[in-house]
Amino acid sequence: KQEVTQIPAALSVPEGENLVLNCSFTDSAIYNLQWFRQDPGKGLTSLLLIQSSQREQTSGRLNASLDKSSGRSTLYIAASQPGDSATYLCAVRPGSDMRFGAGTRLTVKP
Amino acid sequence: DARVTQTPRDKVTEMGQEVTMRCQPILGHNTVFWYRQTMMQGLELLAYFRNRAPLDDSGMPKDRFSAEMPDATLATLKIQPSEPRDSAVYFCASGLDGVEQFFGPGTRLTVL
């Protein structure tokens, strides 16, 4: 059964810092991996989708990488801002369903 | 601005009552997912539809939960009878061929 782990569970950084969030999964047979952002009391917002044949995707200050062979993905956030404060979840598609990690709660302090 | 909509946004009910949650997927999307989110379990997939046909509902307690898509613009999740342990936020998501998923705002259910 596919297990998705996110480390750290919580992270607090000062504004302007570059940071990396980690996601690991146990089974490399995936169709894609998706990073989401969730604000308190809100739904999930899709940030980046990486297909299994891709190594990375970029959107603005965000860059996500995928290493299927090692079962890892990272989300890099450049020049963090207080507005980036949220919970970040990664999810993998091993088949028709999607498996989520527990998330990393990020706080960016002004 | 295409979005997934869910109603109601909040629902408080008493144990034993029937609860129906509704979802309107993004127009043109052919896959619909229902998830439940709790602090303890995180996000769990309950059911998954493609072209209105249920493909996977293994995550759903069959004795009390049911999910349907009466038409392409409406998905429903019903709980009967509801129990306190069903208290959670229920999310609906839609996508095209299940590639990328777009989430609705969720229904916060509280069963007293």
Side-chain angles (χ1 to χ4, degrees):
Chain A
K1 180 183 173 182
Q2 179 75 265
E3 301 283 344
V4 183
T5 304
Q6 290 187 248
I7 294 173
L11 181 63
S12 181
V13 300
E15 181 178 4
E17 199 162 288
N18 302 325
L19 57 100
V20 174
L21 306 181
N22 296 294
C23 172
S24 61
F25 46 96
T26 54
D27 189 341
S28 62
I30 62 171
Y31 287 104
N32 59 47
L33 183 145
Q34 196 167 353
W35 281 94
F36 294 88
R37 168 187 174 137
Q38 186 174 28
D39 293 285
K42 305 287 187 184
L44 278 70
T45 301
S46 178
L47 297 173
L48 290 164
L49 171 72
I50 311 177
Q51 301 289 0
S52 62
S53 58
Q54 298 174 321
R55 295 299 299 267
E56 66 177 342
Q57 283 286 338
T58 298
S59 176
R61 294 182 294 110
L62 305 179
N63 175 277
S65 67
L66 173 63
D67 184 343
K68 270 181 50 176
S69 60
S70 66
R72 295 179 189 275
S73 175
T74 60
L75 179 66
Y76 175 82
I77 303 177
S80 59
Q81 303 170 357
D84 295 331
S85 298
T87 296
Y88 290 80
L89 298 104
C90 74
V92 299
R93 267 194 72 215
S96 59
D97 64 341
M98 186 171 269
R99 302 282 174 178
F100 283 83
T104 293
R105 189 172 65 253
L106 173 65
T107 303
V108 182
K109 296 175 288 188
Chain B
D1 185 22
R3 298 184 186 197
V4 176
T5 58
Q6 291 185 246
T7 57
R9 294 294 308 275
D10 280 282
K11 176 73 176 179
V12 180
T13 190
E14 293 189 347
M15 183 173 62
Q17 296 298 306
E18 177 178 301
V19 175
T20 298
M21 291 169 270
R22 294 177 174 80
C23 166
Q24 183 172 7
I26 293 173
L27 190 65
H29 282 184
N30 66 342
T31 55
V32 174
F33 302 80
W34 282 104
Y35 293 91
R36 174 171 62 185
Q37 186 176 39
T38 62
M39 289 292 291
M40 294 298 295
Q41 300 294 328
L43 267 163
E44 303 172 280
L45 178 69
L46 297 176
Y48 163 49
F49 292 79
R50 180 191 288 270
N51 297 324
R52 295 177 55 201
L55 289 193
D56 185 353
D57 59 3
S58 58
M60 204 164 64
K62 302 286 194 307
D63 56 339
R64 299 183 300 107
F65 285 59
S66 62
E68 295 180 346
M69 280 201 74
D71 61 60
T73 64
L74 177 65
T76 63
L77 179 67
K78 190 174 296 186
I79 308 174
Q80 168 64 20
S82 58
E83 298 180 0
R85 60 179 167 151
D86 300 330
S87 296
V89 180
Y90 290 81
F91 288 105
C92 172
S94 73
L96 193 56
D97 291 321
V99 175
E100 188 170 3
Q101 296 190 21
F102 296 87
F103 279 69
T107 293
R108 181 176 300 276
L109 174 65
T110 304
V111 183
L112 303 173

